[in-house]
Amino acid sequence: MIKNSIVKKLNQQMNLEFDSASLYLQMSAWCSYKGFEGSAMFLKRHFQEEMQHMQRIFDYLCDINQQPIVDSVKKPHNNFESLIHLFEKNYNNEKIISMKINDLCELALTEKDFSTFEFLQWYVSEQHEEEKLFKSIVAKLNLVGSSSEGLFLVDKELKNLNEKIERH
Ligand code: FEO
């Protein structure tokens, strides 16, 4: 029987993924509005990924005969100083998510809940990839600073990356 403390944290994680989805969708809207077409597409796809992350936990809870409790979604920020400011916020959000996943793994191990620990390993690898990806975007944006040409090129690269991911 799964411990209540783990169910509670899984529910919190599910809702955190929901919040991330909503944040990335809002970020996509801001990028689109500001003419960063590639970033808008990239973030919209990422919104869909976060929805899948949320659904995985939802399904896991259902599979183990628990009722997922969907909370109200936190209203995301909708205004950003710049593209770099937006992606820094994005990267920080991913770091928080990784920390929460690690806390969950630790709890699952402490409670000897090896099924949940195993289930969480997918998230551990996913977070590693996501942090790496957003860190590299922030690094590129730091390199180009406020150069319009540089921002155009990073945005174009995100568009290409998005198209490449969608082809696979
Ligand atoms: Fe679901 Fe980007 O963490």
Side-chain angles (χ1 to χ4, degrees):
M1 184 71 182
I2 189 163
K3 292 273 170 49
N4 283 340
S5 56
I6 297 182
V7 172
K8 192 175 163 197
K9 268 193 182 288
L10 282 168
N11 252 303
Q12 284 170 351
Q13 190 66 35
M14 180 186 76
N15 285 296
L16 190 63
E17 303 287 350
F18 225 155
D19 286 342
S20 296
S22 131
L23 174 64
Y24 297 165
L25 186 63
Q26 188 64 70
M27 284 176 163
S28 171
W30 183 89
C31 290
S32 180
Y33 180 63
K34 295 287 178 179
F36 295 116
E37 186 194 356
S39 306
M41 287 165 66
F42 173 85
L43 287 160
K44 201 162 162 194
R45 189 187 48 76
H46 215 82
F47 147 75
Q48 288 161 349
E49 281 190 24
E50 297 301 339
M51 290 299 281
Q52 287 166 8
H53 297 176
M54 183 275 293
Q55 282 171 27
R56 263 180 182 258
I57 302 176
F58 180 95
D59 291 343
Y60 181 73
L61 285 168
C62 290
D63 287 349
I64 58 170
N65 219 17
Q66 299 292 323
Q67 184 186 351
I69 306 294
V70 179
D71 212 341
S72 55
V73 178
K74 197 166 95 186
K75 186 179 177 192
H77 284 268
N78 56 25
N79 200 11
F80 305 92
E81 282 169 33
S82 61
L83 194 61
I84 176 84
H85 180 77
L86 181 149
F87 274 104
E88 274 172 350
K89 202 166 180 47
N90 196 318
Y91 179 40
N92 285 335
N93 188 54
E94 290 301 330
K95 286 196 279 192
I96 291 169
I97 294 175
S98 298
M99 197 177 69
K100 299 281 183 189
I101 290 288
N102 291 342
D103 287 349
L104 251 170
C105 287
E106 190 182 8
L107 180 64
L109 274 185
T110 306
E111 298 291 356
K112 293 189 171 26
D113 181 347
F114 300 115
S115 299
T116 301
F117 182 77
E118 183 62 27
F119 165 74
L120 291 168
Q121 295 318 293
W122 181 88
Y123 286 88
V124 172
S125 337
E126 182 72 5
Q127 283 311 120
H128 175 77
E129 289 306 315
E130 297 213 328
E131 276 197 44
K132 196 168 83 177
L133 176 63
F134 288 114
K135 188 179 175 187
S136 77
I137 297 170
V138 168
K140 284 187 182 93
L141 287 168
N142 268 321
L143 276 177
V144 302
S146 56
S147 146
S148 302
E149 195 182 347
L151 288 170
F152 175 80
L153 289 173
V154 174
D155 189 60
K156 195 173 166 194
E157 195 179 319
L158 286 176
K159 186 179 179 190
N160 292 340
L161 176 66
N162 191 58
E163 286 170 355
K164 195 173 144 193
I165 294 170
E166 283 186 348
R167 275 198 301 274
H168 286 98

